[in-house]
Amino acid sequence: MDTNKETGKMKCTICERGCTIPEGNTGACGRYKNNGEKIIELFPDKYLTICPISIETMPVLHFHPRGKFLQISTTGCNLNCQGCFSTVIAREMVHTSKALRELSPQQVLDEAVKNDCIGIAFLLNDPLASFPTFLKVAATAKKSGLLVGCSSNAYFTETSLAEISRFLDFINVGVKGLSPRAYQNCGGSTVEPVLRNIKQLHENGVHVEVSCILQNNNMEEVLELAGRIANISPEIPLQLMRYIPLEGADPALEPSIREAESLYHRLRKYLNYVYLFNSPGTDYLHTFCPNCGEVIFKRDFYGPMGAKLLFSESGSTRKNVCPQCGWTIPIKALPAEIKYQEEDFQGGYPFTRALEMVEAILITIGVTDIKKVVQVWEDMLSHNGLPQLHRGIQNIDSYFEIINYFGRLIQMEDQAAELVAYMQEKISLINTSLPHVQKRPRVYYAMGKPPFCLMGKRFENQLVEAAGGFSINKEIEYSGRPGMKISVEQLNDLNPEVIFISAFLSSYVEDFYAECCKTGINVAAVKNKRIYTHPAPGWDFGSPRWILGLMHIANMLHPGIYHFDVWTEAKRFYKQFYGVDFSPAEVNRSFSKPSNKWKWRNN
């Protein structure tokens, strides 16, 4: 740290923002303070979550595939990116210390050993926000022979990079873009330190994978980035993260899966290994031989920013050599034989979705102060409430119980009861007409592309049956999250009469229909063009706005019986529970925030 003796100001050398911090103040990230003698970490050795994960959920694909690592996460971030998937941790959880668990580096190591992990991985928020803590843990782990890695924006200074790279075995570097605008929008200045650090890490023997957000307005930048990475090494995997607009992000920036897949082919001209995330049902999470195109490793979508390695029965996917041409895939180790299955809301980014679902309910009952949300988060995490939350949000009646419980917890019982009463009123209207339903149509619920089938126990399928449909998703055995890719033959055998596309990671109906025709899906729903998506995001899962989706599903399944005016209902819902007008153009993929213009009033 550099000190100006006359002013008492100190310059932080942890990240390239280089904050000059007056005595008694913190830097831009709010994680470090000038105490008059030195810059100190405000929350050392304190963790928000510690749990085992499989490494593909970080995601890292070419380093010890299927390896079991101990995930550690804290709070805060050195950058502030619009639409960040980890906003609840990076920007909103910073208001708490009660939810943090204090552990010494040795205790973290003990957790890893107890859970049979081969290493430790820092993810969800950036290790630059807890750099001294991560440095101590990394050093302790390396002394004990454990592997060490992280996901980071890699805005390290040359000084901090030299400190941490001695202990790093692998890293996923999240690049924001190549233009100055991309970094200035996040509080930085330029991409050049990141590219410098990628090159340095690669040359130091650290396994590097690069992820980059793909938006509608940065496709040429991503192509240029691929060229810059190829100049370092064409063997560095590039993870293409199809943009999911959250928080204040513009929903118009989200590219379709079809557009992302088109760019994927252009990127393969620069790099040997490119992967497309946030696109359920795509084949482009697989590893293809760069020489002959043969599939070497197959993967399936495993939640936002995540993947799961699939094994064939023959076990051939445990080899990293192409069976057709003999090309060797550069991975650090062969895939582990034992598959690790994460607990509910654990392993990568589903944890952030859990927090956002809680926030969604609280905002809908009228909470405008983030501190009240934090109060509920603290209560849930301190009582190991994630499993109960996961069970509760899969059933309509238990969902109402959660709303009422949260209302009691923050002394907003009347507001919670008002929300439940509105939702029950609509369900009662549907139930009143259900005896007139002569035939329940067979309904298939997909996410993204046609083959990706949502798990039968998922809430979306409960909505289908509440609206007078028969969920065929419940006839399929699952092992994935939030579902799994099924074959065209399976889907044709199921022969759904109606198809709904998830409102979260969605597809345009036109793209979905074209994909069905292209791949030979000839079920009744395709023949009769009964394929539907929801009028707005958040209408079938993750938010109380699912009540609007339920009315929409009822309309589509039984147009002769149900005639809900869902647009009028949406306007009423937004005015009554959010106190704002409903504007479809401002609604993005956020579970909790009702629009990209919504702000905390007391923060």
Side-chain angles (χ1 to χ4, degrees):
M1 309 294 175
D2 299 327
T3 306
N4 186 318
K5 294 182 180 179
E6 294 182 2
T7 65
K9 294 181 179 179
M10 296 183 183
K11 183 177 181 180
C12 179
T13 57
I14 291 174
C15 95
E16 283 285 347
R17 295 187 74 168
C19 296
T20 300
I21 308 175
E23 185 174 344
N25 289 12
T26 61
C29 69
R31 302 288 89 188
Y32 304 102
K33 181 179 180 179
N34 176 354
N35 70 356
E37 297 180 359
K38 59 182 179 178
I39 292 179
I40 60 169
E41 184 181 4
L42 286 178
F43 303 100
D45 304 320
K46 292 186 177 179
Y47 301 91
L48 181 61
T49 177
I50 295 181
C51 63
I53 63 167
S54 49
I55 193 170
E56 287 86 0
T57 65
M58 282 190 64
V60 169
L61 305 183
H62 283 213
F63 186 87
H64 289 262
R66 263 190 169 176
K68 186 180 180 184
F69 286 76
L70 187 73
Q71 169 189 318
I72 58 175
S73 309
T74 61
T75 59
C77 186
N78 62 311
L79 296 181
N80 186 14
C81 304
Q82 192 176 57
C84 172
F85 222 88
S86 292
T87 292
V88 288
I89 292 176
R91 293 293 154 196
E92 296 177 350
M93 260 295 196
V94 296
H95 297 276
T96 183
S97 59
K98 293 180 182 177
L100 302 180
R101 178 183 175 190
E102 185 167 358
L103 294 173
S104 70
Q106 184 59 48
Q107 287 174 314
V108 173
L109 180 66
D110 293 343
E111 284 285 321
V113 173
K114 181 179 74 175
N115 286 283
D116 297 318
C117 297
I118 62 173
I120 292 172
F122 194 121
L123 61 143
L124 295 191
N125 70 311
D126 204 287
L128 282 163
S130 303
F131 189 71
T133 289
F134 182 49
L135 201 61
K136 289 184 291 184
V137 169
T140 303
K142 291 302 292 181
K143 286 180 183 177
S144 299
L146 291 183
L147 299 166
V148 176
C150 64
S151 290
S152 174
N153 56 52
Y155 222 49
F156 300 100
T157 61
E158 292 181 273
T159 300
S160 59
L161 183 72
E163 289 182 283
I164 194 61
S165 59
R166 295 179 295 145
F167 307 116
L168 282 182
D169 295 290
F170 64 98
I171 186 171
N172 179 327
V173 176
V175 180
K176 310 306 175 185
L178 282 186
S179 67
R181 170 187 55 81
Y183 277 85
Q184 290 164 6
N185 287 345
C186 296
S189 57
T190 171
V191 70
E192 293 308 321
V194 180
L195 296 174
R196 176 199 70 209
N197 292 338
I198 291 173
K199 185 174 186 294
Q200 188 64 56
L201 286 161
H202 178 74
E203 291 177 351
N204 288 352
V206 177
H207 175 79
V208 178
E209 301 192 17
V210 175
S211 62
C212 184
I213 296 293
L214 174 66
Q215 299 176 338
N216 273 329
N217 64 352
N218 76 341
M219 292 189 179
E220 294 305 316
E221 271 189 56
V222 175
L223 284 167
E224 186 180 347
L225 171 64
R228 297 285 294 271
I229 296 171
N231 288 337
I232 299 172
S233 171
E235 301 284 87
I236 293 176
L238 174 63
Q239 302 171 357
L240 196 62
M241 298 293 174
R242 190 174 70 90
Y243 191 52
I244 304 173
L246 303 171
E247 301 297 323
D250 183 355
L253 293 176
E254 179 183 0
S256 67
I257 294 177
R258 177 184 57 80
E259 291 168 326
E261 289 186 332
S262 178
L263 184 69
Y264 167 93
H265 292 288
R266 298 173 67 189
L267 291 166
R268 284 291 303 274
K269 296 177 182 178
Y270 296 91
L271 295 164
N272 287 340
Y273 307 101
V274 180
Y275 300 98
L276 176 58
F277 284 78
N278 300 338
S279 305
T282 187
D283 286 334
Y284 300 142
L285 275 175
H286 301 338
T287 297
F288 296 93
C289 175
N291 186 49
C292 71
E294 180 75 8
V295 177
I296 310 300
F297 294 104
K298 286 189 175 184
R299 299 179 188 84
D300 207 354
F301 170 81
Y302 197 67
M305 325 285 269
K308 269 290 185 183
L309 184 65
L310 304 175
F311 276 15
S312 67
E313 293 181 2
S314 66
S316 61
T317 50
R318 292 208 64 246
K319 299 178 181 178
N320 66 325
V321 177
C322 176
Q324 296 298 318
C325 70
W327 183 281
T328 300
I329 308 299
I331 62 173
K332 290 293 182 178
L334 290 177
E337 293 188 24
I338 299 174
K339 173 184 175 183
Y340 176 68
Q341 182 65 46
E342 288 82 1
E343 298 291 336
D344 297 332
F345 288 137
Q346 291 187 351
Y349 291 86
F351 176 75
T352 65
R353 299 308 89 206
L355 298 181
E356 196 178 356
M357 289 176 201
V358 172
E359 188 175 75
I361 293 173
L362 296 171
I363 289 175
T364 312
I365 65 175
V367 172
T368 58
D369 187 344
I370 183 60
K371 293 182 178 62
K372 284 195 173 184
V373 177
V374 172
Q375 177 188 340
V376 177
W377 283 338
E378 290 173 342
D379 179 82
M380 180 182 68
L381 296 175
S382 63
H383 293 92
N384 193 29
L386 284 179
Q388 184 177 351
L389 176 69
H390 191 270
R391 291 190 299 270
I393 61 170
Q394 306 298 349
N395 177 276
I396 289 175
D397 289 337
S398 57
Y399 196 102
F400 293 151
E401 292 174 8
I402 291 173
I403 294 175
N404 285 322
Y405 171 72
F406 288 167
R408 291 192 300 272
L409 196 62
I410 57 172
Q411 290 79 53
M412 294 182 71
E413 296 97 329
D414 291 345
Q415 294 90 329
E418 181 185 353
L419 174 61
V420 170
Y422 170 88
M423 299 173 82
Q424 288 178 331
E425 175 196 350
K426 302 307 174 187
I427 292 172
S428 178
L429 290 173
I430 292 172
N431 289 340
T432 299
S433 296
L434 274 180
H436 301 292
V437 172
Q438 296 180 352
K439 179 180 179 297
R440 289 177 173 257
R442 293 172 57 80
V443 182
Y444 173 66
Y445 225 112
M447 179 177 275
K449 301 184 73 170
F452 197 86
C453 179
L454 283 176
M455 293 181 70
K457 67 179 182 180
R458 288 269 302 194
F459 189 71
E460 295 90 332
N461 296 310
Q462 316 311 315
L463 295 182
V464 164
E465 301 210 324
F470 177 80
S471 172
I472 65 171
N473 296 57
K474 294 185 176 183
E475 298 180 358
I476 304 170
E477 293 185 7
Y478 290 87
S479 61
R481 182 178 72 187
M484 61 180 285
K485 190 175 178 181
I486 63 175
S487 68
V488 170
E489 292 73 23
Q490 278 179 286
L491 187 49
N492 283 337
D493 287 343
L494 290 167
N495 193 28
E497 299 164 272
V498 180
I499 295 175
F500 281 95
I501 309 169
S502 167
F504 181 44
L505 294 172
S506 196
S507 285
Y508 295 118
V509 169
E510 298 80 10
D511 289 353
F512 193 96
Y513 177 77
E515 186 75 14
C516 287
C517 296
K518 176 183 174 182
T519 57
I521 297 172
N522 56 8
V523 298
V526 175
K527 294 173 184 176
N528 298 321
K529 294 190 176 180
R530 295 194 69 187
I531 301 172
Y532 307 108
T533 190
H534 288 275
W539 280 28
D540 60 358
F541 182 71
S543 163
R545 297 193 296 275
W546 60 256
I547 192 63
L548 301 173
L550 176 60
M551 289 184 275
H552 174 66
I553 293 171
N555 282 352
M556 297 300 103
L557 293 184
H558 303 289
I561 297 176
Y562 298 111
H563 308 282
F564 292 106
D565 185 340
V566 294
W567 290 112
T568 298
E569 288 294 343
K571 291 175 183 177
R572 175 188 168 188
F573 190 90
Y574 265 64
K575 184 61 72 174
Q576 182 173 347
F577 298 107
Y578 300 131
V580 299
D581 293 328
F582 173 63
S583 173
E586 295 175 355
V587 179
N588 61 23
R589 303 289 175 194
S590 174
F591 289 164
S592 58
K593 311 306 191 297
S595 80
N596 64 345
K597 297 292 193 296
W598 193 92
K599 303 290 184 184
W600 295 109
R601 294 179 192 170
N602 304 305
N603 186 2

